[in-house]
Amino acid sequence: MSRPLYVASPILPKLDDLRPYLEGIWDRRMLTNGGPLHDELEEALSRHLGIPTAMLFNNGTIALMTALRMFDLPSGGEVITTPLTFAATAHAISWNGLAPVFADVSPDDLTLDPASVEAAITPKTSAILAVHVYGTVCDLDALQDIATRHGLPLIYDAAHAFGTTVSGRPIGTFGDASVFSFHATKLFHTFEGGLLATNREEDRQTIYYLRNFGIKNEEEVVGIGINGKMNELQAMIGLLNLPQVEDERQTRAKLRQNYKSFLSDLPGIRLQPDQPGVSNSEQYFALQIDPEKFGRTRDDVYEALKSMDIFARKYFHPICTDFEPYRGYPIHSVWPQPAVDLVKTRVLCLPFHGGVEEQDIAQIRAVFLS
């Protein structure tokens, strides 16, 4: 039984497997700027994720900022997104000189609610940025319909959806662009890293310039870009971790069923819904606790687990509109009270990785059944 036990624990390659890669890096003395390991990982991820244009970044936030930048949105334009997300989603909008507009989540699956998105659209709306939260896939058809009718780019923050498919179709091929995070807390990681994916081959050159200062060659800078390049050490970790991803995903799938075996029928416990035809990324195990029906609050359960060095996460709490930069921003909703205001007091993510042992599960079960 390992303690403390956290929500996430990264897969790591064996140290001995690093040596030949490190020797190659040291021999070549090419550390960044599109080295051979970077290019090898980019090609491997394009195949693995089934995405024609899949370009690596040094982190997911820079990739998200670039995704917004590539559509040349007007300064001050509004981008509709969810408040139930990591702060980087909203920050990427603001960093681009755009205005985040928050729409409510669906009470059923906690993803961006299409009806609330429609209600949030104004003449200044420039794009939609949706999030596949906890690995649960957004209402793809409804959001695409809204985006098409209003002529809006549709971008997905797919940080929680690595490897997900919908009826066999890769998640990164929906919408106009998708961004993946390879932070150490993610199923697949490169310590830090990210990827920007689109369905269009012609986007590759645009993304390349945006990722590399707008540099065309030794003497030409043809646009305004940023330094978003992934280095060779990050790519090395990615190449060594990628073959381990499926085993870890299967381990987490079994853990999901183990959790569901004692949580599914408890009054006041609501789990993320199963989505027919969707292959789950197995990124997080999230639930909601209704204090009236369950008899205890989310915070009660959180503290009980914490007392045993089991660190669940109130994720996402606070939500974006609770943070200083966005405090006071309205949440557009089709309900009298935004659903997310209640969700944020109830949501909890349990430890979910290959390091969770049977004894850990037994202790977590005891907390919920006590």
Side-chain angles (χ1 to χ4, degrees):
M1 189 184 306
S2 59
R3 286 293 186 273
L5 183 66
Y6 295 107
V7 164
S9 180
I11 57 174
L12 287 170
K14 295 178 181 178
L15 287 173
D16 289 344
D17 293 339
L18 269 63
R19 175 166 287 278
Y21 283 88
L22 289 170
E23 289 175 346
I25 293 171
W26 259 245
D27 288 344
R28 289 186 296 271
R29 295 183 179 274
M30 186 173 187
L31 307 182
T32 186
N33 291 348
L37 299 184
H38 169 280
D39 291 350
E40 184 181 348
L41 179 60
E42 206 165 67
E43 292 173 7
L45 287 170
S46 180
R47 292 191 302 270
H48 185 88
L49 297 173
I51 306 167
T53 295
M55 302 190 66
L56 289 168
F57 280 77
N58 49 10
N59 63 64
T61 303
I62 297 294
L64 195 56
M65 290 167 58
T66 303
L68 287 158
R69 182 78 174 190
M70 68 183 288
F71 293 104
D72 197 24
L73 304 177
S75 179
E78 297 174 349
V79 178
I80 298 173
T81 193
T82 170
L84 190 70
T85 185
F86 188 57
T89 308
H91 289 348
I93 297 169
S94 297
W95 267 94
N96 272 284
L98 303 164
V101 171
F102 298 100
D104 205 0
V105 300
S106 165
D108 295 327
D109 61 23
L110 307 187
T111 65
L112 189 61
D113 173 54
S116 296
V117 169
E118 190 93 54
I121 291 175
T122 74
K124 295 184 69 176
T125 303
S126 301
I128 300 169
L129 175 52
V131 179
H132 302 302
V133 68
Y134 311 121
T136 301
V137 173
C138 294
D139 189 334
L140 300 165
D141 291 339
L143 290 176
Q144 187 60 65
D145 175 67
I146 294 169
T148 301
R149 284 190 287 106
H150 292 274
L152 302 171
L154 175 57
I155 303 165
Y156 284 107
D157 181 333
H160 297 175
F162 183 85
T164 294
T165 60
V166 180
S167 299
R169 179 177 168 183
I171 194 68
T173 63
F174 291 90
D176 295 291
S178 290
V179 174
F180 297 84
S181 169
F182 301 153
H183 185 268
T185 55
K186 301 302 186 288
L187 172 67
F188 170 76
H189 73 90
T190 56
F191 287 4
E192 288 273 8
L195 183 135
L196 171 51
T198 85
N199 236 352
R200 300 173 299 276
E201 288 283 356
E202 59 267 27
D203 290 336
R204 180 171 294 276
Q205 192 65 62
T206 300
I207 298 170
Y208 176 83
Y209 288 145
L210 289 169
R211 182 179 68 182
N212 189 36
F213 305 105
I215 296 174
K216 183 176 182 180
N217 54 47
E218 288 186 11
E219 297 183 353
E220 291 183 274
V221 174
V222 297
I224 297 173
I226 198 168
N227 183 6
K229 301 184 300 296
M230 175 179 282
N231 64 55
E232 288 290 87
L233 291 174
Q234 288 175 292
M236 170 191 71
I237 295 299
L239 287 167
L240 289 167
N241 277 343
L242 189 57
Q244 302 185 80
V245 165
E246 186 55 29
D247 284 347
E248 174 67 13
R249 197 182 74 82
Q250 292 296 334
T251 297
R252 294 185 187 193
K254 293 176 182 176
L255 177 57
R256 180 177 298 277
Q257 293 307 313
N258 212 331
Y259 279 149
K260 289 173 72 172
S261 69
F262 64 86
L263 290 169
S264 294
D265 296 328
L266 289 181
I269 299 297
R270 185 173 188 174
L271 307 181
Q272 286 295 95
D274 294 326
Q275 296 183 296
V278 174
S279 63
N280 197 311
S281 67
E282 305 298 351
Q283 175 59 50
Y284 290 111
F285 187 93
L287 54 84
Q288 295 182 67
I289 299 175
D290 182 333
E292 293 184 4
K293 294 179 180 178
F294 186 63
R296 285 173 287 161
T297 67
R298 182 271 311 276
D299 290 355
D300 291 336
V301 174
Y302 171 85
E303 292 295 339
L305 292 170
K306 187 177 178 180
S307 71
M308 297 184 289
D309 278 345
I310 299 174
F311 292 90
R313 281 196 68 184
K314 296 180 277 189
Y315 193 59
F316 294 95
H317 175 268
I319 58 175
C320 287
T321 49
D322 293 324
F323 298 138
E324 182 62 32
Y326 311 111
R327 191 168 295 148
Y329 281 47
I331 298 172
H332 298 266
S333 181
V334 295
W335 296 283
Q337 178 75 14
V340 72
D341 284 343
L342 190 60
V343 167
K344 72 179 183 181
T345 68
R346 295 182 172 188
V347 71
L348 190 71
C349 288
L350 298 182
F352 196 59
H353 50 82
V356 180
E357 301 175 355
E358 288 296 329
Q359 302 98 311
D360 301 320
I361 299 170
Q363 286 197 297
I364 293 169
R365 181 191 295 114
V367 168
F368 278 93
L369 298 183
S370 63

